[in-house]
Amino acid sequence: MVTLSSIPGRRSTSSTPWIRRSFSPWAVCTVAALASLLGSLASGPCWPQETAVADWDSFEGAAAPSSSAPESLPDLSNPPSTIQNQDDIHDILKLDVEQLTQLDVIAPSFQTEVTTVTRQESNVGRSPAAVYVITSEMIRRSGARTLPDILRLVPGFHVARMDANKWAISCRGFTDRFADKLLVQIDGRTVYTPLFSGVYWDVQDLLLEDIERIEVIRGPGASVWGANAVNGVVNIITKNSSHTQGTFFQAGAGTEEKGFAEARYGSKLNDQTTFRVYGKWFERDGGYLPPTSPFSQNEPDDWRQARTGFRIDHTPTQEDLLTLQGDYYNGYSGEGVRLPGSFPPDFRVTLRDDVHVEGGNILGRWSRHVDEDSNWTIQMYYDRTERHNTGFLYAEDRDIFDIDFQHSFPLGDRHALTWGFGYRYTEDFVNPQPWYLGFNPTKRADDLFSYFIQDEMEVIEERLFFLVGSKFGHNDYSGFEYQPTGRVVWQPNPRTAFWGAISRAVRSPSRADSDLELVLLYDILPGPLPQFAVVQGNPHFKSESLLSYEIGLRRQPAKTFYWDPSVFYN
């Protein structure tokens, strides 16, 4: 494999990036000693520690040292026990070596950013759910080439590869190819298909180097994300285009990975606008089949696909961020199938089927930070998918339009309120159809209306938080649905957190539940005549509901050890 990359240096966007990392007292002492040495060489009655902070790029808003009397030094007899905000950094630079060694740095795993639990920026330590975050560094070190392989890194997640291009993925049970209780999103765009409420994993792909993190919730997340977030939520978040500047190229070939090539270019349109474009192609061999298989010679489940996309980020003001992004893909996912036939002796047809997959999407998002505690976001996207079987006559074309809005603001001193609404329109056309597989009617359009509200209460400052909220929605299959939750998290110290939750979630009926017509062939009775079973959907199918009880503990006693047990009862 050959990898070439050219990434120009860029300034960190975090105002206090080193707070999120664990560092040794010796590193702190070295920085403090250098700052003191430089300050002692300066002339005039200045304060070297303050000068060091003002000159550091991370403190964009730091004021220049005043020529008048400096601010009073902190009480050095009681140094801060933890590092939590920018004011603590000013105090730390005023401590001597002995006091610096007494500092307790916040557990780095607790400070990992997460937004999926409450739809607001938070961290793992304050999240009242079984949440796990896969970072871009973890992805790079894993060597994974597909999104399903990356999800193998999540504890308690079930990832089973069925053949070269199909997976069964879920958590907390109900894992099969058509698992319908897991919600998957890419940059806020829902990628499960309303045909069976599952995910076609063979068309979910990205330039893996562009992924910022993958947030995974094990357990219900329906109170803010809606139906199908029953057993878990996977939220894939890609990097801002300002973080992918320069040129990237990667290519390789092998026996199973027959060939692949990936390229990306990022640059600036002006001081407020950055962009990136990428392209990706691969061809993968089929999986292993035993010699007795009728497909052992031609390996029907080979996989080949090409993909391209772009992202543009524009910041007209410090409070606003406008994003426009899109993707397009085209390829083939092979499979070997045994289908009911019309002729003796066994009334079965064995054939190779190449599924032609093609689709694309375009998404626009406007985010505004009104102030430190208030913000709102509006997002719209259009998604087009096509799956046409070439081995037998079957095709599905689908269009989805979705709009979503959310607003967060403080309510008093101890309440953070978040509310929002959404609308989704989906239309499909399933035609042609073979006699043994079909949907009636062949064309259908459905609407989904939803809104949610939640309140996060700070019961004890920086220690105890309580969250209550619910999602409400109406769909064309089961009508009105509600999905409430109550969650609590207690942090007795910066390295420990206890949490618990009670939630209700529903799995709304899909097109297959309501309109499917399927013929199955069985060998039950002896004799030459075949026995067929007909499976038909139920237009009066009701939603599956779940009531879940969860408790969990997070603890990071040392930098290199972190544990996160949880117990649930559904």
Side-chain angles (χ1 to χ4, degrees):
M1 183 177 71
V2 179
T3 303
L4 300 173
S5 62
S6 172
I7 308 298
R10 59 179 180 269
R11 180 176 174 181
S12 172
T13 58
S14 174
S15 60
T16 55
W18 62 301
I19 292 301
R20 299 179 183 270
R21 305 183 180 94
S22 177
F23 53 90
S24 67
W26 297 108
V28 179
C29 296
T30 302
V31 173
L34 290 175
S36 300
L37 177 61
L38 293 175
S40 64
L41 297 177
S43 60
C46 63
W47 294 87
Q49 295 89 342
E50 200 66 32
T51 303
V53 171
D55 290 343
W56 195 5
D57 282 349
S58 297
F59 302 124
E60 300 180 9
S66 173
S67 59
S68 59
E71 60 178 277
S72 59
L73 291 175
D75 182 6
L76 300 183
S77 62
N78 294 297
S81 59
T82 60
I83 304 172
Q84 300 191 45
N85 52 49
Q86 184 168 318
D87 294 335
D88 288 342
I89 297 175
H90 288 267
D91 293 343
I92 288 168
L93 293 177
K94 301 167 187 176
L95 302 179
D96 59 30
V97 174
E98 182 179 355
Q99 292 167 328
L100 285 170
T101 60
Q102 301 173 6
L103 292 177
D104 179 21
V105 181
I106 289 179
S109 296
F110 276 45
Q111 298 306 302
T112 303
E113 182 180 355
V114 62
T115 59
T116 307
V117 179
T118 63
R119 293 184 68 153
Q120 285 297 303
E121 291 184 5
S122 185
N123 55 54
V124 171
R126 274 189 53 178
S127 298
V131 60
Y132 188 82
V133 180
I134 303 174
T135 65
S136 59
E137 180 67 12
M138 295 169 64
I139 295 173
R140 186 183 68 84
R141 292 177 178 272
S142 70
R145 303 290 309 160
T146 64
L147 289 176
D149 284 337
I150 293 174
L151 293 177
R152 294 181 187 273
L153 300 175
V154 181
F157 222 66
H158 306 156
V159 179
R161 190 166 190 171
M162 303 176 64
D163 63 17
N165 57 64
K166 299 178 188 63
W167 284 264
I169 301 177
S170 187
C171 66
R172 298 190 175 180
F174 303 99
T175 303
D176 58 35
R177 181 187 175 188
F178 301 107
D180 53 11
K181 297 174 178 61
L182 178 70
L183 179 66
V184 183
Q185 298 183 129
I186 300 178
D187 285 331
R189 176 175 57 89
T190 301
V191 298
Y192 80 89
T193 172
L195 188 71
F196 62 92
S197 297
V199 178
Y200 287 120
W201 288 102
D202 59 330
V203 296
Q204 310 308 328
D205 198 10
L206 294 166
L207 193 64
L208 301 185
E209 287 75 11
D210 289 348
I211 298 177
E212 178 179 329
R213 66 185 185 275
I214 301 177
E215 301 176 3
V216 180
I217 297 177
R218 304 184 304 277
S223 62
V224 290
W225 297 112
N228 292 54
V230 177
N231 284 351
V233 180
V234 176
N235 191 12
I236 302 170
I237 302 171
T238 62
K239 299 175 182 177
N240 188 293
S241 58
S242 62
H243 299 163
T244 54
Q245 299 293 281
T247 303
F248 170 84
F249 175 77
Q250 181 173 262
T255 55
E256 298 300 316
E257 193 88 30
K258 290 186 174 181
F260 67 90
E262 303 170 350
R264 179 234 294 144
Y265 176 72
S267 186
K268 291 183 177 182
L269 296 178
N270 52 53
D271 292 340
Q272 291 82 33
T273 309
T274 59
F275 75 93
R276 69 166 175 260
V277 294
Y278 79 92
K280 181 176 183 178
W281 163 86
F282 65 81
E283 182 174 356
R284 295 178 179 135
D285 201 3
Y288 171 78
L289 294 174
T292 56
S293 170
F295 300 104
S296 60
Q297 301 300 319
N298 57 9
E299 296 177 335
D301 56 337
D302 56 343
W303 189 18
R304 51 204 183 276
Q305 196 172 113
R307 177 178 299 264
T308 186
F310 72 95
R311 173 165 173 161
I312 303 173
D313 293 284
H314 177 58
T315 54
T317 67
Q318 293 183 348
E319 294 80 19
D320 296 284
L321 172 61
L322 303 178
T323 299
L324 181 67
Q325 63 187 79
D327 305 274
Y328 170 78
Y329 63 87
N330 195 326
Y332 288 87
S333 301
E335 62 180 352
V337 294
R338 299 185 68 191
L339 304 172
S342 304
F343 304 100
D346 58 2
F347 294 91
R348 286 185 174 88
V349 177
T350 301
L351 53 85
R352 174 191 175 111
D353 179 32
D354 276 334
V355 183
H356 178 222
V357 294
E358 183 178 6
N361 62 83
I362 187 166
L363 179 147
R365 183 188 308 111
W366 180 12
S367 301
R368 162 165 283 194
H369 286 268
V370 180
D371 53 42
E372 184 178 355
D373 300 316
S374 178
N375 61 81
W376 57 262
T377 300
I378 185 170
Q379 172 183 280
M380 293 184 291
Y381 69 81
Y382 167 75
D383 195 319
R384 167 76 176 182
T385 59
E386 299 178 6
R387 297 184 68 91
H388 294 182
N389 295 70
T390 60
F392 58 95
L393 296 178
Y394 177 81
E396 176 201 355
D397 298 335
R398 181 172 300 277
D399 297 283
I400 297 177
F401 172 77
D402 185 280
I403 182 171
D404 184 85
F405 173 84
Q406 75 172 59
H407 179 209
S408 299
F409 59 94
L411 189 64
D413 295 332
R414 295 186 178 273
H415 294 262
L417 198 67
T418 303
W419 69 279
F421 61 86
Y423 168 73
R424 181 178 302 158
Y425 172 82
T426 177
E427 180 179 300
D428 65 37
F429 181 59
V430 185
N431 194 56
Q433 302 178 133
W435 65 271
Y436 45 80
L437 174 62
F439 290 83
N440 184 24
T442 59
K443 185 175 182 179
R444 177 164 180 165
D446 294 302
D447 300 285
L448 172 64
F449 302 88
S450 64
Y451 58 96
F452 77 95
I453 185 169
Q454 72 173 16
D455 181 21
E456 184 179 26
M457 292 164 276
E458 188 177 30
V459 181
I460 302 176
E461 186 176 1
E462 298 296 331
R463 288 292 181 267
L464 182 62
F465 299 88
F466 179 68
L467 184 146
V468 62
S470 182
K471 182 93 169 185
F472 306 91
H474 184 279
N475 63 78
D476 291 344
Y477 294 98
S478 59
F480 177 78
E481 303 283 3
Y482 65 96
Q483 301 174 88
T485 189
R487 298 176 181 268
V488 63
V489 59
W490 175 47
Q491 284 190 269
N493 58 67
R495 295 181 180 272
T496 307
F498 298 89
W499 64 270
I502 302 176
S503 308
R504 182 182 188 270
V506 301
R507 202 277 295 180
S508 297
S510 65
R511 179 92 144 92
D513 294 323
S514 175
D515 304 332
L516 178 66
E517 294 180 350
L518 176 64
V519 177
L520 300 176
L521 179 62
Y522 291 95
D523 292 326
I524 302 176
L525 302 176
L529 297 179
Q531 300 98 49
F532 294 98
V534 179
V535 179
Q536 289 187 320
N538 181 1
H540 304 292
F541 194 96
K542 299 299 182 182
S543 295
E544 298 179 60
S545 63
L546 167 76
L547 184 61
S548 177
Y549 303 86
E550 304 172 90
I551 58 172
L553 163 67
R554 294 188 187 91
R555 173 70 176 161
Q556 186 166 10
K559 175 184 176 181
T560 57
F561 181 70
Y562 169 79
W563 60 301
D564 182 12
S566 61
V567 179
F568 69 94
Y569 174 76
N570 291 343

